[in-house]
Amino acid sequence: MRPVPDLVLGAFGISSGALIKPIGSGHIHQTFQVEDGRKFILQRINKNVFTRPEVIARNNRLAAEYLFKNHPAYLFPTPIPDQHGNDLVYAEDGFPWRLYPLIQNTVTVDFVTSVQQAFEAAKGFGLLARNLEGINCDMFEPTLEQFHDLSRRYEQFESALANAADSILAQVSEEIALAKQFNFLVDEYKRLIHSGTLTLRITHNDTKINNILFDQTLSKATCVIDLDTLMPGYFIYDLGDMVRTCVSPVSEEEFDVSNIAFRKEIYDALLSGYLSEMRPFLSPAELAAVPFAGKMMTYIMALRFLADFLRGNTYYHISYPDQNKVRARNQLHLLNILIGAV
Ligand code: ADP
Ligand code: GN1
Ligand code: MG
């Protein structure tokens, strides 16, 4: 079967003989590289997750206009509209699709292999935040409500626990116990948020390492991608997700937890890279929150993966039944290491 509906190809003016192949390791959308003489990235948006895809399109347009006006040299990927000027094309099954220019001579990685890569990736995400300083956050709507609200994520975990069958609970009893043990981070999160010391900015909110394109030598970050969650947030979300996905030599998919480790030199490089762009904009209280960032985001992902396992794997793409359990165990292990290290 053709992976992309003909209606979608036609609407974007892509020839029917185009070469289409899946690309990337994202957990949410379906992404394809398309070649018909030209090269594109074509994505089916997961509307079960993003129930209001027009909000993504509108937020991205607001950011693109601001960046074009204030930082015209900045590379910010914007969708190619269809023949009628729409960013989104809806297929017969109701799923929206969008098309991007493929940014040539770039690669993504799932784990960082050098200090320079960590520095460059963090600088790349920092530059996006820096260039968006001054934009009016009130114009943006959340594409996903309370996305990185740790207290809400803990409540969702508790409700997944309450609704799971005993047979499922038994499979992850160790992970559940560990997840509960780290609950003090929720109190720390609440204190921080209620202190009012964090500035609400437009943040990327999905700064995992494979959401930045590197040049082919892996020495420079070319541009950030995966802009579905570009919306109001706190800098700890962006810095934290970088820490979560970069400090260990293995990714969140690693099964063997003995391979998970804290690489201090990578952690330091992430902080230097991000702060090389953002330090002038962060208050002393925000700088004091830096060590909390990685712990908070690692905990949130442990809770989300575990809750998804308990609910029967309805959110993240999985390719084997225990994948969310493996991811949760991985993140809990990393969190334990981070708590001792930072
Ligand atoms: P997901 O939300 O599923 O993670 P992404 O937007 O991150 O989807 O895209 C998946 C993958 O497709 C990326 O990791 C990257 O390899 C590739 N990709 C996405 N957009 C582009 C682009 N504009 N140019 C080149 N490659 C891209
Ligand atoms: C999802 O789409 P992708 O794979 O970049 C998720 C992130 C998680 C990440 C964990 C919309 O990101 O929040 O951090 O998986 N995106 C959404 O790998 O839920
Ligand atoms: Mg992605």
Side-chain angles (χ1 to χ4, degrees):
M1 199 181 75
R2 224 191 151 73
V4 183
D6 289 338
L7 178 153
V8 172
L9 292 175
F12 284 122
I14 296 169
S15 71
S16 53
L19 192 67
I20 299 175
K21 57 175 190 208
I23 181 172
S25 48
H27 298 340
I28 305 293
H29 302 310
Q30 283 176 16
T31 310
F32 301 91
Q33 180 173 325
V34 175
E35 288 184 49
D36 71 349
R38 305 158 297 169
K39 285 188 177 177
F40 301 109
I41 292 288
L42 185 55
Q43 265 185 334
R44 186 181 89 140
I45 300 180
N46 186 337
K47 77 171 164 72
N48 300 329
V49 169
F50 291 97
T51 51
R52 295 193 306 153
E54 333 69 60
V55 177
I56 304 177
R58 196 165 55 242
N59 284 352
N60 277 248
R61 228 174 294 123
L62 284 169
E65 281 161 16
Y66 183 85
L67 291 166
F68 185 70
K69 189 160 159 236
N70 295 283
H71 305 281
Y74 182 70
L75 178 56
F76 182 77
T78 47
I80 304 170
D82 76 351
Q83 294 147 341
H84 307 290
N86 303 310
D87 286 349
L88 300 172
V89 167
Y90 287 83
E92 290 94 338
D93 62 2
F95 276 83
W97 290 75
R98 67 185 162 197
L99 187 71
Y100 284 103
L102 184 141
I103 302 180
Q104 306 250 21
N105 304 318
T106 59
V107 284
T108 47
V109 295
D110 288 325
F111 41 85
V112 157
T113 51
S114 76
V115 162
Q116 190 188 3
Q117 267 169 37
F119 181 88
E120 285 299 323
K123 188 173 166 60
F125 282 118
L127 181 61
L128 173 68
R130 180 191 181 116
N131 283 347
L132 288 171
E133 277 291 318
I135 197 167
N136 180 1
C137 288
D138 295 342
M139 295 189 304
F140 287 73
E141 263 189 88
T143 54
L144 297 169
E145 293 287 343
Q146 295 179 285
F147 189 50
H148 286 146
D149 179 339
L150 184 57
S151 4
R152 170 185 173 248
R153 293 299 186 181
Y154 195 82
E155 283 162 20
Q156 289 179 331
F157 162 64
E158 284 181 317
S159 109
L161 274 181
N163 291 309
D166 287 346
S167 56
I168 302 283
L169 292 170
Q171 291 172 44
V172 278
S173 54
E174 268 178 50
E175 289 76 15
I176 293 169
L178 258 180
K180 286 181 175 171
Q181 217 175 294
F182 294 126
N183 171 268
F184 63 93
L185 291 168
V186 178
D187 297 327
E188 212 175 313
Y189 176 78
K190 282 188 196 155
R191 272 198 302 279
L192 183 60
I193 299 304
H194 294 149
S195 71
T197 49
L198 301 184
T199 298
L200 203 62
R201 311 186 142 82
I202 297 305
T203 45
H204 182 284
N205 291 300
D206 193 3
T207 58
K208 70 177 179 184
I209 190 62
N210 59 23
N211 284 333
I212 192 151
L213 299 178
F214 285 95
D215 69 352
Q216 272 172 331
T217 64
L218 288 179
S219 56
K220 285 270 170 246
T222 304
C223 98
V224 306
I225 54 167
D226 206 341
L227 297 154
D228 303 321
T229 49
L230 191 78
M231 61 183 170
Y234 300 114
F235 87 97
I236 50 170
Y237 302 157
D238 282 358
L239 181 60
D241 217 28
M242 287 177 234
V243 171
R244 180 183 81 78
T245 58
C246 295
V247 290
S248 177
V250 291
S251 82
E252 66 192 13
E253 302 291 350
E254 175 64 36
F255 178 84
D256 181 354
V257 294
S258 70
N259 290 328
I260 300 173
F262 177 75
R263 296 180 294 176
K264 178 152 190 336
E265 70 288 1
I266 299 287
Y267 182 77
D268 291 344
L270 290 171
L271 264 48
S272 321
Y274 189 74
L275 295 177
S276 70
E277 298 293 349
M278 281 301 284
R279 187 184 287 277
F281 303 96
L282 298 176
S283 68
E286 287 181 307
L287 289 171
V290 163
F292 182 62
K295 291 180 263 189
M296 185 235 139
M297 287 304 292
T298 307
Y299 189 36
I300 223 172
M301 281 319 303
L303 293 172
R304 291 178 65 195
F305 286 141
L306 193 48
D308 199 32
F309 181 83
L310 292 167
R311 284 190 296 250
N313 306 306
T314 53
Y315 189 90
Y316 296 107
H317 289 322
I318 52 165
S319 47
Y320 62 93
D322 271 357
Q323 193 162 5
N324 277 319
K325 173 182 167 175
V326 166
R327 290 165 174 159
R329 193 174 54 205
N330 171 310
Q331 295 292 284
L332 288 164
H333 196 88
L334 176 62
L335 175 57
N336 201 26
I337 296 178
L338 279 176
I339 287 171
V342 182

